[in-house]
Amino acid sequence: SNVLSTTKDESTTSTDSTTKVASKEGIAETPKQKLLKIIGDMKVEVTTKRKFQELKEQEIKKQATNEQEGLDSESSTFQNTAEDVQRSKPLNPELVQAASAVASSFPRSKEQAESELLAQLRRHEETTDKQRRGGTINIRNVISEMAVKRQSPAQRGVRISNRISLEMDEDGQRIKPGRSSSRSFDSGRYFCSVTFYLSEEELSSPTIWDLEFAKEIAAVTEQPPRNGFEEMIQWTKEGILWEFPIDNEAGMDDGAEFHEHIFLEKHLKDFPKQGPIRHFMELVICGLSKNPYLSVKQKIEHIEWFRNYFEEKKEFLQEI
Amino acid sequence: MAASALCWALRAARQVLPSQTRGYYVDWRMLRDVKRRKLAYEYADERLRINAIRKNTILPKELQEVADKEIAALPRDSCPVRIHNRCVLTSRPRGVKRRWRLSRIVFRHFADHAQMSGIQRAMW
């Protein structure tokens, strides 16, 4: 319901931007039907702004995700079986309705727009279904999508946006790919962020190939530094240049408190409590506690080495 | 000696595959010094601990004798005493200034060509 209210606010702001809007809000209608009516009534004109189209795309996707969330939240068995049945079908009838409403608001090529919107929704559903079933990790797809959009002016995104493109210029000329690149990038980024949210659980075990792929992309997309500042930034990231103001404990601080460095008696539990060995180990611990150059792990390893050494020599020591 | 050095070079080459890079040390003595430094780094902790047992008045003498034998059994090149600071560029064993790791001749060459930062001919 929160999502719906925000979409309604967005739709109201978009209605403010357009001139021809007849907002008929029936009291007895459900909020979904209200939204569909508003979308259907909104006529797209020649002078529409980019933001409006972005909002619409967001609305479509939010509606799609809302449908999914609505289906998930309703825990009744009937809904679950209906959901299972709908999974086998390509699309939700409500989504189809929403798509048809949006398509009807386009100035021309309504059927084409509708078919393309439905195709997009279908693709979206496929990916979310795959992720819900715990399918293959989509990192590679997502990264390749993101990479493609960064490198060339959004090949895939441009195609999608060109298909649903509205006429921006008043002369009636088609949008050039350059102009729509930013839009497609935004929608692509939104799409990518959605898939990331859904596939969080599967990101825990990326394979070596995915890591190599990510490294490849990073190596290809990096630009040489434009000035001295960027060069220094790069060096700092690599570790060649220190960070200023100089931190004396850079690279050394393992997050251990002072008491872990000084009070090392608890590691002496396995040693005999009397005798020269104990005396010797207490001296060792005294020396370690005064040592600022070793980490806590190294100190514990030191003590463990001695423990192992004396364990091996136990029979020899008993003879003495 | 040649075989072991070849093995050493081969090991280095194997690690660098697939992009094979070859480095040449100035001479074999420099290579041997490099090996000694690497081994000394590897065995530094063990040597420290065994020596702590040896140089002790508290532990029994028999234990110290056993520790003596153990440290003698470690590879000979692992003791830091065998490292000799040679010149980095010419591998000259004598006349090496520690701060620059260069022999006196190389140092003078670079200083005269103004390639040593902050070095000036002394005059007073």
Side-chain angles (χ1 to χ4, degrees), chain A residues 79-314:
Chain A
Q79 288 290 331
N80 282 336
T81 52
E83 195 190 315
D84 291 335
V85 167
Q86 279 152 15
R87 266 193 201 165
S88 60
K89 290 185 200 165
L91 269 180
N92 201 359
E94 286 173 325
L95 288 176
V96 175
Q97 229 183 356
S100 60
V102 171
S104 64
S105 64
F106 283 111
R108 48 190 83 173
S109 72
K110 289 182 194 172
E111 295 101 10
Q112 199 192 4
E114 195 183 324
S115 61
E116 271 133 28
L117 276 172
L118 289 174
Q120 211 184 1
L121 286 169
R122 226 172 273 135
R123 239 180 285 130
H124 187 74
E125 261 231 43
E126 268 175 28
T127 50
T128 50
D129 278 346
K130 240 193 270 174
Q131 278 151 8
R132 250 187 266 142
R133 281 176 223 150
T136 55
I137 299 164
N138 288 354
I139 298 172
R140 202 183 276 216
N141 301 337
V142 172
I143 291 174
S144 66
E145 255 189 28
M146 286 165 71
V148 163
K149 274 163 186 150
R150 234 182 267 163
Q151 279 181 352
S152 59
Q155 292 168 12
R156 198 170 152 191
V158 160
R159 265 183 244 140
I160 292 168
S161 64
N162 276 342
R163 272 188 255 145
I164 317 172
S165 65
L166 307 165
E167 294 183 334
M168 298 280 297
D169 289 316
E170 288 175 338
D171 300 334
Q173 289 175 357
R174 276 269 165 194
I175 311 166
K176 292 173 194 169
R179 278 205 213 171
S180 63
S181 61
S182 61
R183 251 191 295 128
S184 57
F185 188 82
D186 289 337
S187 61
R189 209 193 285 148
Y190 185 80
F191 181 67
C192 289
S193 64
V194 166
T195 52
F196 263 126
Y197 173 71
L198 288 166
S199 66
E200 242 177 48
E201 315 91 42
E202 285 143 347
L203 274 175
S204 55
S205 61
T207 63
I208 298 172
W209 303 112
D210 293 328
L211 293 170
E212 275 300 311
F213 196 63
K215 276 188 217 169
E216 230 183 271
I217 289 160
V220 167
T221 53
E222 70 189 5
Q223 301 282 331
R226 293 179 293 180
N227 49 35
F229 289 118
E230 292 200 359
E231 199 183 29
M232 285 205 279
I233 290 169
Q234 210 176 17
W235 285 345
T236 311
K237 279 184 198 166
E238 287 172 30
I240 297 169
L241 201 60
W242 284 353
E243 287 182 14
F244 295 96
I246 288 184
D247 176 25
N248 275 327
E249 291 172 12
M252 254 173 52
D253 181 33
D254 50 346
E257 300 286 323
F258 72 98
H259 56 85
E260 289 172 44
H261 277 93
I262 293 172
F263 302 115
L264 298 162
E265 269 187 343
K266 54 188 172 179
H267 303 294
L268 281 193
K269 277 184 203 164
D270 295 337
F271 285 94
K273 302 209 177 167
Q274 302 285 334
I277 295 180
R278 180 81 183 192
H279 189 23
F280 174 73
M281 286 315 293
E282 277 174 10
L283 287 174
V284 165
I285 274 172
C286 177
L288 280 178
S289 67
K290 294 183 189 175
N291 189 335
Y293 301 109
L294 294 180
S295 67
V296 177
K297 265 192 185 177
Q298 284 170 320
K299 291 182 186 176
I300 297 173
E301 271 176 28
H302 200 87
I303 297 169
E304 273 201 29
W305 186 92
F306 276 114
R307 193 181 300 146
N308 292 333
Y309 185 81
F310 288 126
E311 290 275 332
E312 284 169 24
K313 310 288 173 194
K314 249 193 180 174

Side-chain angles (χ1 to χ4, degrees), chain A residues 26-44:
Chain A
I27 304 163
E29 287 175 343
T30 61
K32 284 181 199 169
Q33 284 172 352
K34 266 190 243 174
L35 190 60
L36 287 173
K37 264 208 166 178
I38 290 166
I39 292 170
D41 287 337
M42 285 192 294
K43 297 289 173 186
V44 178

Side-chain angles (χ1 to χ4, degrees), chain A residues 275-277 279-280 283-284 298 301-303 305-306 309-310 312-313 316-317 320, chain B residues 45-46 48-50 52-56 58-60 62-64 66-68 70:
Chain A
I277 295 180
H279 189 23
F280 174 73
L283 287 174
V284 165
Q298 284 170 320
E301 271 176 28
H302 200 87
I303 297 169
W305 186 92
F306 276 114
Y309 185 81
F310 288 126
E312 284 169 24
K313 310 288 173 194
F316 182 75
L317 289 169
I320 305 166
Chain B
D45 292 336
E46 273 194 50
L48 174 77
R49 288 157 189 167
I50 297 176
I53 293 176
R54 283 173 66 222
K55 314 287 181 180
N56 223 330
I58 309 165
L59 295 174
E62 293 84 0
L63 190 63
Q64 286 172 1
V66 169
D68 278 343
E70 273 195 13

Side-chain angles (χ1 to χ4, degrees), chain A residues 22-64:
Chain A
S23 56
K24 306 165 192 167
E25 290 183 350
I27 304 163
E29 287 175 343
T30 61
K32 284 181 199 169
Q33 284 172 352
K34 266 190 243 174
L35 190 60
L36 287 173
K37 264 208 166 178
I38 290 166
I39 292 170
D41 287 337
M42 285 192 294
K43 297 289 173 186
V44 178
E45 295 194 336
V46 177
T47 54
T48 355
K49 298 172 192 170
R50 260 185 222 170
K51 200 184 169 188
F52 173 57
Q53 215 231 348
E54 264 178 48
L55 285 170
K56 234 197 264 177
E57 284 177 326
Q58 278 179 15
E59 272 171 38
I60 296 165
K61 275 161 191 147
K62 274 189 186 168
Q63 251 205 347

